[in-house]
Amino acid sequence: MGRSVNDSVTSYLLSLIILHKTITFLTLIIIRNVFEHQISIVALVYSVRDTKRIDFKTKKSDSTKSLLIKSEQLLRIEDHDFAMRPGFGGSAIPVGIDVQVESIDSISEVNMDFTMTLYLRHYWQDDRLAFPSSNNKSRTFDARLVKKIWVPDVFFVHSKRSFIHDTTMENIMLRVYPDGNILYSVRITVTALCSMDFSRFPLDTQNCSLELESYAYNENDLMLYWKNGNDSLRTDEIALSQFFIEEFHPSFGLAFYSSTGWYNRLYINFILRRHIFFFMLQTYFPTMLMVMLSWVSFWIDRRAVPARVSLGITTVLTMSTIITGVSASMPQVSYVKAVDIYLWASFLFVFLSVIEYAAVNYFTTVEEMKKLQKGKLPVSYDATQAMAYDGCFHDDIDVSPFPELPTTPSTTRTIPPRASSTEPPPTEGTRLWRKRSVGKNIRFIMSNSYMIDSYSRIIFPLAYLLFNIIYWCIYS
């Protein structure tokens, strides 16, 4: 019995020892976990403190991030009705304008318009957007805030197309100053009408203008003006392919509409003078060469029918092609242009050279027929011999020289005796003039058709030279 009691006590002591070791082990694990957790908390606290210190420094250096309220709340946008203009019911609000022309992209004579890219800047004051500021610095915004406030409704008069550039964002800038002054800038490309006068084309000068005006507000509500006078219009270095830009200047005026009244209108005026060198190469020089080429026929034998006719027809068709090409690139206006006068006058010279050969050929034929009828040509003369001199090669025609005319008493020229005259003989140093009527001169030239070519070699170049002198003196 004593042995059983000892065994019970021994097992109980072993159980206590095992329980003590287990409790000690668990206590050590808990203490270690608590210590590690405290270290993490301390590190997190220090990290947050450092982050707050960095954010504080950043906010101090960037004033735009130091605002604790939204821009809409700063400008009190929700407190006002921006559908109404500033100072509604009072005097007209002044809106200053200045423009910087970036480029003139194209000028179309056919459509009578031009395309221009520019920076349009508006200046006005809206007390509703004033905000407190200790450093008196402005705030700059993009297009998202523009849609929530009032801006001037300026549009381009006589514009066909226009758009605001939107790459990579809409090219709109809004700058608000603490006292309520506002700068609103937009980058725009506009295509507008330009009424051109082509009566002196291509030696012309065109006056074009881009007009700005408020669409809804007349002069009682909105007053447009150039902010810096003549300095309100600035241009970059602009180079055009066909024009010189002689002048850029702003101006001001009023426009009246019978239903709505008077409106302020601003003008961007510019004067364009056309480059002439391109048209000299493409139109004038080729035309001159065609006219001079038509004169070559005056030096070709009058019996060379195919050569002279083909040369004349070629020059006429070439002139027609030049006239058609110039007309296709121009608007269909109802008046005569300077280039039309030159082209059609040159065409007339070319056409007259063809008519001149027709006259020479006709008179030559008539002259030969008369001689044949009067018997002045030999009986053995064949008309095919004359036709053989047409400049072509003939295998079946034997071209032999004309036989000499026999000398007969009928062909012998007798000089009648001079009748006695009571007129005194001419003194030494005087010249005898043989007067001949116009009709006789014409008949003389008709009977000697080769003289028409001789006169044409001088008359045609002199007449064309005189025409050019008069033309360039008038239009240049």
Side-chain angles (χ1 to χ4, degrees):
M1 180 163 183
R3 182 176 295 176
S4 60
V5 172
N6 290 332
D7 291 336
S8 300
V9 172
T10 303
S11 60
Y12 177 74
L13 291 175
L14 288 174
S15 300
L16 289 177
I17 293 170
I18 293 171
L19 180 61
H20 176 70
K21 289 183 178 181
T22 302
I23 292 172
T24 303
F25 179 74
L26 293 174
T27 302
L28 291 175
I29 291 175
I30 292 171
I31 292 172
R32 188 182 63 180
N33 290 338
V34 170
F35 180 75
E36 290 178 354
H37 182 66
Q38 288 178 349
I39 292 175
S40 299
I41 292 175
V42 171
L44 180 62
V45 169
Y46 278 102
S47 177
V48 171
R49 184 180 300 173
D50 293 339
T51 302
K52 288 183 177 180
R53 185 180 295 111
I54 293 173
D55 291 343
F56 177 75
K57 291 180 179 179
T58 305
K59 289 180 179 180
K60 188 174 181 181
S61 61
D62 190 356
S63 60
T64 60
K65 296 181 180 180
S66 63
L67 300 175
L68 301 178
I69 58 177
K70 294 182 178 180
S71 299
E72 290 83 351
Q73 295 174 349
L74 174 67
L75 301 177
R76 304 189 308 277
I77 292 179
E78 300 297 334
D79 297 340
H80 302 283
D81 182 11
F82 284 97
M84 310 300 291
R85 69 172 180 86
F88 177 76
S91 60
I93 175 175
V95 177
I97 299 290
D98 74 40
V99 173
Q100 180 173 350
V101 179
E102 181 180 358
S103 64
I104 297 178
D105 304 319
S106 64
I107 298 173
S108 174
E109 291 88 357
V110 177
N111 299 323
M112 286 194 180
D113 59 26
F114 64 92
T115 302
M116 178 185 293
T117 300
L118 52 89
Y119 297 93
L120 178 61
R121 302 184 180 96
H122 312 69
Y123 301 86
W124 75 95
Q125 185 173 10
D126 192 344
D127 294 332
R128 296 173 295 183
L129 296 178
F131 61 90
S133 175
S134 59
N135 52 12
N136 197 30
K137 290 185 177 180
S138 62
R139 301 286 184 257
T140 302
F141 306 96
D142 56 16
R144 288 170 288 189
L145 187 64
V146 171
K147 300 176 182 179
K148 299 180 181 180
I149 65 171
W150 181 90
V151 293
D153 59 340
V154 175
F155 79 104
F156 298 99
V157 186
H158 306 309
S159 67
K160 298 181 178 180
R161 296 173 300 275
S162 61
F163 63 91
I164 298 175
H165 291 259
D166 56 0
T167 306
T168 57
M169 291 285 291
E170 281 189 300
N171 296 171
I172 296 177
M173 186 269 288
L174 181 72
R175 181 170 296 167
V176 182
Y177 293 87
D179 57 356
N181 284 311
I182 299 172
L183 165 61
Y184 172 51
S185 178
V186 188
R187 182 169 178 252
I188 302 176
T189 293
V190 57
T191 301
L193 175 68
C194 178
S195 298
M196 300 183 183
D197 180 17
F198 296 107
S199 59
R200 300 178 65 88
F201 177 87
L203 304 166
D204 57 334
T205 299
Q206 303 296 341
N207 296 318
C208 298
S209 64
L210 184 63
E211 304 172 10
L212 294 82
E213 184 181 306
S214 173
Y215 189 82
Y217 300 99
N218 58 24
E219 64 173 353
N220 297 324
D221 293 320
L222 190 145
M223 182 183 67
L224 281 179
Y225 69 97
W226 290 110
K227 181 174 176 60
N228 299 314
N230 291 332
D231 295 332
S232 300
L233 180 60
R234 295 182 294 274
T235 60
D236 295 337
E237 190 67 26
I238 300 176
L240 301 177
S241 59
Q242 290 193 25
F243 292 92
F244 290 110
I245 301 178
E246 291 190 343
E247 185 181 359
F248 257 108
H249 68 276
S251 61
F252 171 85
L254 291 173
F256 178 74
Y257 300 91
S258 58
S259 58
T260 54
W262 292 92
Y263 289 79
N264 296 125
R265 182 175 291 184
L266 304 181
Y267 299 86
I268 303 173
N269 304 300
F270 53 98
I271 300 175
L272 302 172
R273 182 166 56 86
R274 195 181 304 273
H275 291 284
I276 186 60
F277 188 70
F278 170 80
F279 295 94
M280 292 295 294
L281 293 178
Q282 297 295 321
T283 304
Y284 287 99
F285 285 159
T287 302
M288 293 177 185
L289 291 177
M290 286 301 104
V291 174
M292 289 187 286
L293 182 62
S294 67
W295 300 338
V296 175
S297 64
F298 302 150
W299 276 266
I300 300 177
D301 184 76
R302 65 181 188 275
R303 298 184 184 276
V305 178
R308 294 189 66 164
V309 170
S310 60
L311 179 61
I313 296 301
T314 300
T315 53
V316 168
L317 293 178
T318 305
M319 284 299 305
S320 300
T321 303
I322 295 174
I323 293 174
T324 303
V326 173
S327 300
S329 62
M330 293 297 298
Q332 304 302 317
V333 295
S334 59
Y335 50 85
V336 179
K337 303 181 289 293
V339 68
D340 295 334
I341 295 176
Y342 193 89
L343 290 177
W344 283 104
S346 300
F347 182 85
L348 180 62
F349 275 92
V350 173
F351 181 76
L352 288 177
S353 67
V354 178
I355 299 299
E356 184 270 349
Y357 176 64
V360 169
N361 184 268
Y362 174 75
F363 293 146
T364 301
T365 304
V366 170
E367 180 184 356
E368 291 176 352
M369 293 300 294
K370 286 182 179 180
K371 290 182 179 180
L372 186 63
Q373 291 175 358
K374 290 181 180 180
K376 293 185 177 181
L377 292 179
V379 180
S380 61
Y381 173 77
D382 189 1
T384 58
Q385 290 182 337
M387 296 302 295
Y389 290 95
D390 58 0
C392 300
F393 179 77
H394 299 269
D395 294 328
D396 54 345
I397 298 178
D398 184 14
V399 181
S400 58
F402 295 151
E404 296 182 358
L405 293 175
T407 304
T408 60
S410 61
T411 60
T412 305
R413 185 177 179 182
T414 60
I415 302 175
R418 179 178 294 181
S420 60
S421 175
T422 58
E423 295 180 359
T427 59
E428 185 179 358
T430 60
R431 180 176 298 179
L432 294 177
W433 291 95
R434 191 174 184 181
K435 296 183 179 179
R436 185 181 295 174
S437 63
V438 177
K440 289 183 178 180
N441 287 330
I442 295 176
R443 286 193 296 271
F444 177 76
I445 293 175
M446 290 175 60
S447 61
N448 299 274
S449 57
Y450 66 91
M451 296 182 63
I452 300 178
D453 279 343
S454 300
Y455 288 136
S456 298
R457 295 169 189 173
I458 300 174
I459 294 174
F460 272 75
L462 289 179
Y464 193 65
L465 178 62
L466 179 62
F467 163 72
N468 274 273
I469 292 174
I470 296 174
Y471 179 87
W472 293 108
C473 288
I474 292 175
Y475 289 104
S476 63

